[in-house]
Amino acid sequence: MTHSVAIVTGAAGDIGRAIARRLGDDHDVVLLADIDSEAADKAAREIGDSTRFVPIACDVTDAKSVAELAAAAAARGVVRTLVNNAGAARAVSLHETTPEIWRADNALNLEAAFLCFRAVEDMLKESRGSVVNIASVNGMNVFGHPAYSVAKAGLLHLTRLIAVEYGKFGIRSNAVAPGTVRTQAWEARAAVNPQVFEEARRWYPLQRIVNPDDVANAVHFLAGSMAAAISGVCLPVDCGLTAGQAELARTFSQSSHY
Ligand SMILES: NC(=O)c1ccc[n+]([C@@H]2O[C@H](COP(=O)([O-])OP(=O)(O)OC[C@H]3O[C@@H](n4cnc5c(N)ncnc54)[C@H](O)[C@@H]3O)[C@@H](O)[C@H]2O)c1
């Protein structure tokens, strides 16, 4: 029988690793693709069984490297799930955004998802599989990081474009939009301000930030058969952030219930 393969890009990071581990529940093989090959090796070792969790060195912004990733997947089975998770933000204002930052953030957070999807689309047709794009609340509202946010907003539209054009092949396409997740991506900002997570927590209705397993559970749901009729959506995993802010509701209503 043909093995079902999941690809998780950026899988050496905290969110990617949690997603890879969770997708191992119902895929035969999970490829942990990351530009940092040492970190990908370490992540795969940490999760377990080296025949099922396979590290792959890949730069998702490079079409040749992505083609090699697709070939590595084809050698192990048929891709049923593609998770475009590799991403990074420059924490700058629009005024500070250079053309280089603009292009680099768009290449990694948007174009790479297009390259990866096109590289495995035939396998997704064969498996009637699905794509899950890891977007961000930054793609829905303005929370800083302009180039990254524009790319994530584009990624939400790419999610819908795939859903509409490829639905006839049984391919589903969905996105998850996490709020703040404490990962290595925050290291520099946490070093400047050790209170950064405490300060962020205040704006979240659930009064906590998101953890990598929260994101992984949502990806697992969207990639699985329980979501068989769900395509083209963005599922915020944001502890209520994009629903509104209690503090502002308290000011507007002057009610102590908020
Ligand atoms: N951490 C958060 O607060 C947060 C919030 C919303 C969305 N997200 C999204 O979640 C995803 C994962 O973020 P994270 O916080 O785990 O980041 P992270 O920095 O911990 O991990 C990202 C991983 O991507 C890899 N990577 C970078 N460039 C790559 C490339 N060109 N090719 C292949 N791999 C590459 C890195 O080596 C790293 O292992 C990203 O798409 C990010 O935008 C994160």
Side-chain angles (χ1 to χ4, degrees):
M1 211 184 75
T2 314
H3 283 159
S4 60
V5 178
I7 295 176
V8 182
T9 68
D14 299 297
I15 294 174
R17 201 168 57 244
I19 294 169
R21 184 183 289 115
R22 192 76 173 87
L23 291 182
D25 292 351
D26 50 14
H27 292 76
D28 298 312
V29 178
V30 181
L31 299 189
L32 288 89
D34 204 287
I35 197 167
D36 184 340
S37 60
E38 266 177 43
D41 288 350
K42 186 163 169 275
R45 269 200 311 277
E46 253 176 51
I47 300 177
D49 186 346
S50 61
T51 56
R52 298 189 54 230
F53 297 95
V54 182
I56 305 274
C58 175
D59 176 356
V60 290
T61 64
D62 179 72
K64 188 167 162 282
S65 187
V66 169
E68 286 162 10
L69 170 63
R76 288 169 175 83
V78 175
V79 176
R80 198 177 77 209
T81 304
L82 166 66
V83 183
N84 286 308
N85 168 73
R90 306 307 150 97
V92 294
S93 67
L94 187 57
H95 182 70
E96 293 157 332
T97 301
T98 62
E100 290 71 30
I101 290 177
W102 184 267
R103 288 187 203 110
D105 272 14
N106 275 279
L108 177 58
N109 296 288
L110 175 56
E111 191 182 311
F114 162 75
L115 294 178
C116 289
F117 172 71
R118 292 301 309 280
V120 302
E121 67 166 83
D122 287 343
M123 285 189 274
L124 288 172
K125 282 179 188 167
E126 196 181 330
S127 65
R128 299 177 75 80
S130 86
V131 183
V132 183
N133 292 319
I134 308 304
S136 168
V137 291
N138 288 69
M140 303 171 72
N141 289 319
V142 173
F143 298 111
H145 316 339
Y148 169 81
S149 303
V150 161
K152 292 295 193 184
L155 186 59
L156 293 177
H157 208 62
L158 175 65
T159 303
R160 293 183 284 264
L161 286 166
I162 295 170
V164 171
E165 186 172 335
Y166 289 81
K168 62 177 176 286
F169 303 113
I171 296 178
R172 296 181 302 108
S173 168
N174 292 297
V176 169
T180 307
V181 191
R182 186 175 200 148
T183 67
Q184 67 190 11
W186 279 86
E187 258 169 32
R189 284 165 282 170
V192 174
N193 176 8
Q195 294 305 311
V196 69
F197 298 109
E198 250 334 280
E199 286 174 17
R201 204 168 65 87
R202 150 176 177 218
W203 299 102
Y204 284 83
L206 289 178
Q207 301 188 345
R208 72 163 177 95
I209 58 170
V210 181
N211 63 56
D213 285 334
D214 294 321
V215 180
N217 287 335
V219 172
H220 182 253
F221 164 68
L222 288 172
S225 57
M226 296 294 280
I230 300 175
S231 193
V233 308
C234 169
L235 179 58
V237 178
D238 67 352
C239 297
L241 182 74
T242 50
Q245 273 77 50
E247 220 168 290
L248 198 54
R250 184 161 59 243
T251 300
F252 287 161
S253 65
Q254 291 297 300
S255 162
S256 59
H257 287 118
Y258 287 102

mmCIF file of all heavy atoms in Angstrom, residues 12 174 185 244:
data_model
loop_
_atom_site.group_PDB
_atom_site.id
_atom_site.type_symbol
_atom_site.label_atom_id
_atom_site.label_comp_id
_atom_site.label_asym_id
_atom_site.label_seq_id
_atom_site.Cartn_x
_atom_site.Cartn_y
_atom_site.Cartn_z
ATOM 1 N N ALA A 12 11.678 22.620 11.999
ATOM 2 C CA ALA A 12 12.621 22.631 13.126
ATOM 3 C C ALA A 12 12.204 23.662 14.175
ATOM 4 O O ALA A 12 12.703 23.648 15.296
ATOM 5 C CB ALA A 12 14.027 22.926 12.622
ATOM 6 N N ASN A 174 -6.861 25.125 3.499
ATOM 7 C CA ASN A 174 -7.299 25.930 4.637
ATOM 8 C C ASN A 174 -6.107 26.615 5.285
ATOM 9 O O ASN A 174 -4.954 26.269 5.004
ATOM 10 C CB ASN A 174 -8.012 25.041 5.668
ATOM 11 C CG ASN A 174 -9.339 24.518 5.134
ATOM 12 O OD1 ASN A 174 -10.252 25.295 4.856
ATOM 13 N ND2 ASN A 174 -9.433 23.209 4.945
ATOM 14 N N ALA A 185 11.258 32.552 17.432
ATOM 15 C CA ALA A 185 11.067 33.749 16.616
ATOM 16 C C ALA A 185 10.964 35.012 17.485
ATOM 17 O O ALA A 185 11.170 36.127 17.009
ATOM 18 C CB ALA A 185 9.819 33.592 15.752
ATOM 19 N N GLY A 244 -12.105 40.711 19.444
ATOM 20 C CA GLY A 244 -12.221 42.041 20.027
ATOM 21 C C GLY A 244 -11.397 42.147 21.294
ATOM 22 O O GLY A 244 -10.767 41.171 21.707
#
